Amino acid sequence: MKDIDWPALSADRHDAALRDAARRVWSRRAWVEYTGLAETPALLIRFCLEIDREADPKYFLTVRNTEEAWHVEAFHLAAENFGGYLDRPADPAWEPVINQTLYRDALDADRSLDGYVAAHCAVEDGLELELFEAYAAATRDRVLKQLFEHVLADKRRHASFGWLYLESRVAQADRAQRESIARAVAAWIENVAFTGYHVPTLSATIDTRADAQAAALLEQAGLGAIDAAREEQVFVDYLGRARQRLAELGIVPVVAPHPRLGRL
């Protein structure tokens, strides 16, 4: 963690409301990253168990896990510097949303590995990259800019791997395999993205006003967030581009409308 000048963050210069907002936002990012930290070794095992899977993904996932561990620590320390890491959401309704069982899903032999990679390593990691690029662009704090610089370098590699591997696999996939991949992507959009996992205000069942207020406060202070409306727009814009990229590969997910935003 010597790459980040944590003492220069000087979070105590901000008022209590802003520090609480920062704790909420940065703790949530750590929770999401924790989920990925558990997923990667499971995905690596799945690649090793399946016959004739390529070697490159296995080496890549080994490195990705180390990078994810660094992200967890960085987000955790950011929350600590703003007054203390929160170990769980204030609203327990968020717990089943955050506690994704990706490690179990990745090891499920009944799930298509190519479909899993398409949904989680291509589409999902691509969304994380877009969101973090937007957060970084809105950041004025020097220390948090350092943090984003390192995190973004990793997330660009993660998203690139997902799309490159998907393109490679689809080149030899038949129609049934493409349809299986499309179903996996659609399921991720409906059951993960639409529930507010990455963009809290996409949830149609949980009161997200506190999350939106925290993001707005951080955007105003330049502390690594964007307001809810901009965050949702990043999601909508990215999803449109991702669907176009998938369509070029012959993958057409059929997604139910979002409860508030409609068909995306």
Side-chain angles (χ1 to χ4, degrees):
M1 299 309 297
K2 295 180 180 179
D3 293 331
I4 307 297
D5 186 11
W6 292 110
L9 187 57
S10 302
D12 57 359
R13 71 181 184 271
H14 302 297
D15 63 32
L18 185 55
R19 291 198 302 272
D20 285 345
R23 293 175 66 202
R24 185 187 192 99
V25 170
W26 286 100
S27 294
R28 184 188 178 93
R29 288 176 184 165
W31 302 335
V32 171
E33 202 70 36
Y34 269 124
T35 303
L37 187 66
E39 172 208 27
T40 299
L43 188 57
L44 174 58
I45 292 170
R46 179 71 183 275
F47 267 100
C48 291
L49 289 174
E50 290 214 352
I51 298 174
D52 295 330
R53 286 288 173 168
E54 306 85 348
D56 287 354
K58 301 168 188 176
Y59 292 116
F60 166 78
L61 289 167
T62 303
V63 175
R64 189 179 84 168
N65 211 208
T66 302
E67 293 169 342
E68 288 167 336
W70 188 90
H71 299 168
V72 169
E73 185 176 8
F75 300 161
H76 192 289
L77 282 173
E80 283 291 336
N81 274 269
F82 281 109
Y85 169 75
L86 304 172
D87 62 3
R88 65 196 315 154
D91 184 346
W94 279 117
E95 294 193 11
V97 174
I98 297 296
N99 294 330
Q100 298 287 321
T101 59
L102 299 184
Y103 60 92
R104 188 170 63 198
D105 298 342
L107 287 170
D108 185 351
D110 292 331
R111 291 175 181 258
S112 160
L113 180 53
D114 290 337
Y116 188 94
V117 170
H120 295 279
C121 301
V123 179
E124 183 171 19
D125 284 357
L127 173 61
E128 283 198 352
L129 173 59
E130 295 274 338
L131 288 169
F132 273 81
E133 285 180 338
Y135 303 151
T139 299
R140 298 190 299 275
D141 183 271
R142 179 177 65 83
V143 177
L144 295 180
K145 277 187 172 293
Q146 289 179 335
L147 187 158
F148 279 119
E149 181 180 351
H150 290 287
V151 169
L152 280 172
D154 297 340
K155 289 194 177 294
R156 290 187 185 106
R157 284 192 295 273
H158 300 176
S160 293
F161 161 76
W163 284 105
L164 287 170
Y165 189 75
L166 176 61
E167 290 167 0
S168 173
R169 295 294 296 182
V170 165
Q172 51 191 312
D174 59 25
R175 179 177 177 179
Q177 290 169 322
R178 287 188 172 91
E179 289 175 349
S180 175
I181 292 171
R183 287 193 296 272
V185 172
W188 175 81
I189 294 171
E190 293 176 12
N191 301 326
V192 179
F194 282 2
T195 63
Y197 180 65
H198 290 289
V199 180
T201 55
L202 289 178
S203 173
T205 61
I206 301 174
D207 185 347
T208 62
R209 287 175 293 183
D211 299 279
Q213 182 181 24
L217 286 173
L218 260 62
E219 181 185 40
Q220 292 168 10
L223 294 177
I226 55 178
D227 69 29
R230 289 182 60 200
E231 199 170 43
E232 288 186 3
Q233 193 59 54
V234 169
F235 171 76
V236 171
D237 292 346
Y238 169 74
L239 189 59
R241 292 193 298 273
R243 287 174 71 103
Q244 177 60 39
R245 191 168 181 178
L246 290 168
E248 292 170 358
L249 298 174
I251 300 169
V252 184
V254 179
V255 181
H258 182 270
R260 176 169 53 81
L261 300 178
R263 195 167 295 282
L264 300 176

